[in-house]
Amino acid sequence: MHENAPWLYAPCVYGTVDRPCGFRPVLAALLLMCFLLGACGKKVAPPSPEPVGPPVAFESPEFFVSCLRPVNQDLTSWKEMAPTVRKSLRYVNSKPATAIAVQRPGLTVTWGELSRTLTRLQELLPRLDREPELFLANFRWVEVPDGIKYSGYYEPVVRASRTRKPGYTQAIYGLPPDLKKVAAKRGRYYDRRTIEEKQILAGKGLELAWAADPVDVFFLEIQGSGRLVFDDGTQAYINYAGQNGHKYKSSGRIMREKGLLREGHIFEQRQWFKDNPQRVREILNENPSYVFFRYGTRGPTGAMGQVVDDWLSLATDRTFIPLGSVVAYGVNIPDQQRGKVPLRGIGFAQDVGGAIKKNRIDVFCGGEERGNYVASHLDARGPAWVLLAK
């Protein structure tokens, strides 16, 4: 589970497309360069996949499938989706088959239908590389009306210490024992300003760790989970444990309202915070929401209780696209080398988020540099379909 900031950008403009897509080969020179660099013993970050097809637009399922390739999601074969499919199957099979998973205008689905869809997809995985048309022959494509507003989330890495010391003064708090009791009586726990300025939780044994940068912790809260890299060289997973009940307000929105930013994405925010350290607390405290954490034994965990997978796991509004759904999704994502590239993929609704409402999807982009960049910049519209077994 994560709490996602709705960073705002100018929406994409869509047309219609109906020309066939083809596979673009990776340039031999690029491969040779990577080989030579590797031979010298230097670790080189792999390039992002060569994009397949023209920019994503409102398009037919047939055209979408003609452009669909596993490489778009950093896969070498559709068979590699099998572990992700099994995670969703375990979840939906724990529900009564005849019970309604979602009922809204345009979509009524039972848990049994979701199970049959995932089972059918699981059976088809060995054939899809050679026969992508099976996506069309075996599934009904239920279009999401008006498309989806896409954003992304990732696994942040935070520098930390197990004890408070110079350079490590920002507490990362565990769940307060009185949170549920106070929430039940007043509806909301202490807000961020009270927690940080009055240090209302300090010295109560709730400090899990001490971070070097309060901005890192703020963005850790937005993502809901991440990794702590301690000053002694050790690491630990940290996961969402609870929230104080106050409504989330993004730092990007706060800073735009103050006229401090041009675009508002995380990279611009981070540079502003770096240039204006004396105003960090002023900006952050205007978001009253506060997230508490716990130590975990694995990476980012979704609402199903399963680790989410790069470019496959999606956070959705479960009252709009229920957990367990198979979703064909398309969006033009930011790319450091190319500006924007098309991403057409098969995703799985496996997570939720505080800012994920109705026609919004958060794509889990992983923990590498590319995933961080995409998640930090992505705010665009695109098509989506819920796939249901025929």
Side-chain angles (χ1 to χ4, degrees):
M1 179 179 291
H2 74 287
E3 178 180 11
N4 184 61
W7 306 299
L8 301 177
Y9 293 84
C12 294
V13 178
Y14 296 93
T16 58
V17 289
D18 53 11
R19 58 191 183 280
C21 293
F23 219 78
R24 296 187 192 175
V26 178
L27 295 176
L30 180 60
L31 290 175
L32 179 61
M33 182 175 68
C34 293
F35 173 78
L36 292 174
L37 287 172
C40 296
K42 183 178 180 180
K43 186 176 180 181
V44 179
S48 57
E50 185 74 10
V52 176
V56 176
F58 284 123
E59 55 200 40
S60 68
E62 290 77 14
F63 180 77
F64 184 94
V65 170
S66 75
C67 298
L68 192 59
R69 302 289 189 278
V71 69
N72 288 349
Q73 295 171 267
D74 289 356
L75 305 172
T76 59
S77 166
W78 291 121
K79 292 183 286 187
E80 294 175 14
M81 292 198 305
T84 309
V85 175
R86 288 195 294 269
K87 293 174 186 178
S88 289
L89 263 175
R90 282 195 292 271
Y91 179 82
V92 301
N93 286 342
S94 69
K95 307 291 185 180
T98 58
I100 299 295
V102 70
Q103 187 170 31
R104 62 167 174 81
L107 184 64
T108 299
V109 182
T110 66
W111 293 109
E113 288 178 283
L114 294 180
S115 178
R116 286 192 293 275
T117 299
L118 289 159
T119 300
R120 179 79 59 83
L121 179 59
Q122 188 177 51
E123 294 167 351
L124 293 173
L125 289 180
R127 300 172 56 188
L128 289 172
D129 292 342
R130 299 185 309 276
E131 304 173 79
E133 64 275 8
L134 292 173
F135 280 116
L136 299 169
N138 284 269
F139 302 99
R140 290 192 295 120
W141 288 56
V142 181
E143 188 172 13
V144 176
D146 301 320
I148 289 289
K149 186 172 185 180
Y150 289 97
S151 48
Y153 66 117
Y154 65 102
E155 180 187 31
V157 176
V158 176
R159 294 179 298 121
S161 170
R162 297 183 187 276
T163 58
R164 181 177 178 130
K165 63 171 71 172
Y168 296 91
T169 58
Q170 175 60 50
I172 300 174
Y173 287 115
L175 196 67
D178 61 339
L179 176 63
K180 288 184 178 180
K181 183 178 179 181
V182 172
K185 288 184 177 181
R186 299 202 304 248
R188 293 182 297 181
Y189 199 64
Y190 302 114
D191 65 8
R192 178 180 302 275
R193 189 178 303 277
T194 301
I195 292 172
E196 293 293 356
E197 291 185 356
K198 297 187 177 180
Q199 291 290 293
I200 201 76
L201 300 179
K204 296 184 177 181
L206 298 175
E207 295 89 349
L208 299 178
W210 300 90
D213 187 348
V215 175
D216 284 346
V217 178
F218 186 84
F219 289 123
L220 174 67
E221 290 185 42
I222 294 172
Q223 303 307 317
S225 61
R227 271 184 297 135
L228 301 184
V229 177
F230 292 108
D231 55 340
D232 61 6
T234 60
Q235 298 188 27
Y237 289 118
I238 194 164
N239 300 131
Y240 178 99
Q243 190 257 0
N244 64 347
H246 288 264
K247 187 176 180 180
Y248 173 83
K249 185 175 182 180
S250 77
S251 52
R253 176 183 169 188
I254 294 166
M255 296 166 80
R256 280 191 303 273
E257 289 175 350
K258 293 178 179 291
L260 303 177
L261 301 178
R262 278 193 312 156
E263 298 179 44
H265 55 69
I266 284 185
F267 277 52
E268 187 183 14
Q269 290 180 48
R270 281 192 174 278
Q271 186 60 50
W272 189 92
F273 284 129
K274 182 178 179 181
D275 295 340
N276 299 274
Q278 74 282 0
R279 297 189 65 185
V280 167
R281 187 56 61 199
E282 169 201 339
I283 301 300
L284 300 188
N285 283 353
E286 289 198 25
N287 170 29
S289 174
Y290 202 93
V291 172
F292 303 101
F293 293 93
R294 59 179 175 81
Y295 280 117
T297 57
R298 50 187 181 169
T301 303
M304 288 182 171
Q306 303 285 342
V307 174
V308 291
D309 297 318
D310 306 8
W311 312 109
L312 290 169
S313 296
L314 309 175
T316 65
D317 179 346
R318 67 175 88 203
T319 68
F320 192 78
I321 298 176
L323 292 175
S325 298
V326 180
V327 181
Y329 72 97
V331 63
N332 298 304
I333 63 173
D335 183 273
Q336 286 177 288
Q337 287 78 41
R338 306 177 184 95
K340 284 189 181 295
V341 297
L343 170 60
R344 294 174 176 88
I346 301 298
F348 301 84
Q350 296 185 331
D351 203 359
V352 298
I356 309 303
K357 304 297 182 185
K358 294 188 178 180
N359 289 61
R360 189 176 186 97
I361 284 178
D362 238 11
V363 181
F364 180 66
C365 304
E368 301 300 323
E369 181 180 352
R370 175 174 175 251
N372 185 339
Y373 182 84
V374 172
S376 299
H377 290 78
L378 177 59
D379 195 343
R381 290 192 175 275
W385 297 263
V386 175
L387 304 191
L388 297 171
K390 288 184 177 178

